[in-house]
Amino acid sequence: MTANNLPGRDALLELAARVEAAAGPDGELAKDIFRAVHPERVPTLGHPNDYGWREDESGWWLATGEDARIPPKRIDPLCWLSSLDAALLLVPDAFWIERLGEGGRGRFRAELIERTGDGAYGVCDSAASLPLALCSAALRALAEGPAK
């Protein structure tokens, strides 16, 4: 993931803090992260004749055909907060995972370091799960950006 067209540093850090405070996957938080890191992909809701994008607690779905209740296509950002593999997709291209594991007291920690070794990093000291820790660290790394 690259840092093009991302919201400001403070907005990304606020999202990272929300991820660290979460007890588990949260649909609204996941959608807020999606809006921040993929603003160009957020669907416009609704369309005449009951076709178009709809929103539910976990993401967005596209209503097509005669029965607009059947969701043939979905955008489901919740997986970033529940799947380690999906959380890896949030890690900026210029970073690698330095540490990922238990942080003590049943919490988890993630640390990302810029590949060039110029000192940019993203750290989550305490989250409820490994995917949440990695997601928070990735948001912090995006906020800091590659060292200039």
Side-chain angles (χ1 to χ4, degrees):
M1 169 167 287
T2 61
N4 296 339
N5 299 322
L6 292 177
R9 178 181 184 273
D10 292 342
L12 290 169
L13 292 176
E14 187 267 328
L15 282 171
R18 286 176 57 199
V19 170
E20 291 168 9
D26 175 302
E28 287 304 315
L29 175 57
K31 287 189 287 186
D32 289 345
I33 294 168
F34 187 87
R35 286 180 186 102
V37 300
H38 295 298
E40 74 287 353
R41 292 180 49 203
V42 175
T44 302
L45 298 181
H47 191 277
N49 302 325
D50 285 333
Y51 299 114
W53 287 97
R54 304 287 190 265
E55 185 172 0
D56 62 23
E57 63 279 350
S58 64
W60 298 274
W61 55 276
L62 182 61
T64 60
E66 291 186 16
D67 188 352
R69 294 171 295 165
I70 298 173
K73 182 175 180 182
R74 289 193 61 82
I75 298 174
D76 186 11
L78 187 59
C79 60
W80 289 334
L81 304 177
S82 59
S83 164
L84 197 53
D85 289 338
L88 283 169
L89 297 174
L90 289 175
V91 175
D93 294 340
F95 288 77
W96 63 16
I97 298 171
E98 179 73 14
R99 291 185 180 85
L100 180 64
E102 290 190 43
R105 296 186 167 185
R107 304 289 284 176
F108 296 88
R109 174 180 170 76
E111 184 175 338
L112 306 177
I113 302 292
E114 189 179 12
R115 293 176 193 259
T116 61
D118 289 337
Y121 61 92
V123 175
C124 169
D125 285 322
S126 178
S129 69
L130 284 174
L132 289 171
L134 186 56
C135 183
S136 173
L139 290 168
R140 292 182 181 284
L142 285 167
E144 298 304 325
K148 305 285 187 238

